[in-house]
Amino acid sequence: MAITSRAPAPGGVSAPSGPPAPPPDGLPRRGTAWAEGVERLRAAATTEPGRLRIVGAALAALVLLFGAVAVWEISGRVTAADDVVGRSQPLSADAASIYRSLADADTASSSGFLAGGNEPREVRSRYEKDIANASRLLVNAAASTTAGDDSRKQITLLSEQLPRYAGLIEQARATNKQGLPLGGAYLRYANEQMSTQLLPAAQRLYEAETGRLYTDYDEARALPLASLGAGLLALAALLWAQRRNYRRTNRVFNHGLVAATTASLVLLLWLAAGHTVARSGLSEARTDGQESLKVLNDARIASLQARANENLTLVSRGAVLAEDKKSDKYDVDFSNDMKDLDAGLATAAKLADDTAGRDPVARAAEGVRQWKGLHAAARQTDLTGDYQGAVGQVIGDKDHPKPTGTAFDTVDASLEEAVLHEQREFTRAARDGLGALDGLVTGTAALAVVGAVAALLGIGRRLSEYR
């Protein structure tokens, strides 16, 4: 037996054998376990099985990362597209309907005022229907908005001012039936309330809801760049792993890695194709539907305001002057509204992409042409001093079976038909876009899991050859 000699300790006493003494402070050395673990990993990475384990873990992580990012991005796109179809666009349409109802109520009230004590029942019913519709839509809009939104402020203002406006109209109607001239003053004041408070608030509400709609559009159509990037990275890693496997084994295919690559490729193509189709549908809904709806709504509002100003020209009888202090304010406003109506119809005709959309716009344009001719004749009658004759030419009587109101009704009905058509076109295109994303979230998660498992199985097959 070999005997190992030890140097004597100072003083001639031999040093005891055994493990080294602990540090003077009695504490264990820090970092020893961590350093040992790192050393073991480093040692394992220098062997092929160790490297394969690292490659398998990295491939599975990349595929799962691809799936997680895709699920996150597509979930956001689906939510935004669903909001476009089911929330923001309906709210925008409701806001436009509130504006139209208020403008139409103002028109109906002035038409009924001109009829005096013989206000037609249908005119009264139209006014009441408009007020009820605006009130109902305001309640719906209030339930769909959150506190602090600009929309909430406008809804509150409209809810406060609408009963006041209705009260002024009732006072004007009651005074007018008594034959008192003060009724015209009440009606003009009610119209001023409508023009300076109610309609501007409704316009701001419409703009706020339309802005929210366009925000949802942009979110739904945004490219999933992070998902596409993660997918390409995962595919590149899988292809690299297969090439590495081929160079070391001369085996062309590893079934697990091939399955993982196929799952990742299918997911990437599905993601790209589904989002492309969704973008196309939403773009069509915006350009062929929403843009046409906006133009048609503006045109219809211009026609309603023109009709109200036409009536108020006769109600005021020159009592309210324009800025030049010479012309009748309401007659000047009528001319401006008709210019806006002409411009809107011209734009709507260009945006209409089918016969069902072009025909009602063409009928509305023809109705505007007739309306202008009838209005010019009625205005001339009024300027020559025949006030009752002018009233008959505007609202109709036994001597004037075809008043300006007939042409206005043609314009209004045609524009309503065009609006309904474009609304259907929007809904169809937007739902097609949303449908392209159906199942993509669930499918993404499933394919990512399949790809990750397949990658691990493929690497596991190679590891089994070392056992």
Side-chain angles (χ1 to χ4, degrees), residues 116-420:
N118 298 319
E119 180 181 12
R121 180 57 193 167
E122 59 271 17
V123 174
R124 175 67 175 173
S125 297
R126 181 170 181 169
Y127 166 81
E128 292 174 346
K129 181 180 178 181
D130 287 331
I131 295 297
N133 188 55
S135 300
R136 178 182 59 82
L137 291 175
L138 283 172
V139 172
N140 293 340
S144 303
T145 56
T146 58
D149 281 355
D150 184 59
S151 296
R152 172 74 67 176
K153 298 176 184 178
Q154 307 311 322
I155 291 170
T156 301
L157 176 60
L158 287 167
S159 300
E160 292 174 351
Q161 294 299 325
L162 185 56
R164 297 176 185 176
Y165 169 81
L168 289 171
I169 292 298
E170 293 306 319
Q171 207 158 5
R173 179 180 286 112
T175 307
N176 188 44
K177 287 183 177 180
Q178 297 174 14
L180 301 176
L182 189 59
Y186 278 120
L187 184 64
R188 290 195 301 272
Y189 183 61
N191 175 261
E192 182 181 355
Q193 294 291 101
M194 177 66 74
S195 301
T196 60
Q197 296 191 43
L198 286 166
L199 291 181
Q203 179 67 27
R204 290 191 294 270
L205 175 63
Y206 174 66
E207 291 172 353
E209 295 302 333
T210 303
R212 182 186 300 182
L213 169 61
Y214 287 155
T215 298
D216 289 338
Y217 265 128
D218 293 339
E219 291 179 359
R221 295 177 67 253
L223 289 171
L225 297 179
S227 301
L228 296 176
L232 292 175
L233 180 61
L235 278 176
L238 287 166
L239 292 174
W240 170 83
Q242 291 178 81
R243 182 174 180 272
R244 180 183 184 278
N245 182 68
Y246 170 72
R247 292 180 64 184
R248 282 166 170 73
T249 65
N250 284 330
R251 296 172 185 169
V252 178
F253 297 114
N254 177 292
H255 293 165
L257 293 180
V258 169
T261 304
T262 302
S264 298
L265 181 60
V266 169
L267 175 54
L268 185 63
L269 293 177
W270 188 7
L271 176 66
H275 197 269
T276 299
V277 174
R279 280 174 60 90
S280 176
L282 291 171
S283 296
E284 180 184 354
R286 180 168 182 168
T287 56
D288 297 341
Q290 182 61 28
E291 295 299 330
S292 293
L293 280 172
K294 185 177 186 305
V295 171
L296 289 169
N297 283 327
D298 290 343
R300 194 174 182 192
I301 289 168
S303 71
L304 291 168
Q305 290 177 332
R307 178 60 177 171
N309 285 318
E310 182 179 47
N311 293 335
L312 287 167
T313 302
L314 294 174
V315 172
S316 67
R317 306 178 79 169
V320 183
L321 299 179
E323 293 181 358
D324 61 5
K325 304 302 180 183
K326 296 179 182 179
S327 306
D328 185 283
K329 174 187 181 300
Y330 299 112
D331 190 47
V332 171
D333 290 343
F334 171 85
S335 299
N336 293 333
D337 291 333
M338 295 302 279
K339 290 178 182 178
D340 293 340
L341 178 56
D342 285 335
L345 290 175
T347 304
K350 294 178 182 178
L351 291 175
D353 58 350
D354 55 11
T355 302
R358 286 189 291 268
D359 286 351
V361 175
R363 288 195 297 273
E366 176 60 23
V368 170
R369 187 189 65 79
Q370 296 177 6
W371 186 2
K372 288 179 179 178
L374 294 170
H375 173 79
R379 187 64 181 147
Q380 184 60 36
T381 300
D382 185 32
L383 291 175
T384 57
D386 186 1
Y387 176 77
Q388 290 301 325
V391 170
Q393 288 177 291
V394 170
I395 65 173
D397 57 20
K398 62 180 181 179
D399 297 324
H400 303 93
K402 192 175 181 181
T404 61
T406 303
F408 162 74
D409 290 339
T410 299
V411 174
D412 189 59
S414 299
L415 287 174
E416 182 177 10
E417 180 182 347
V419 167
L420 292 176

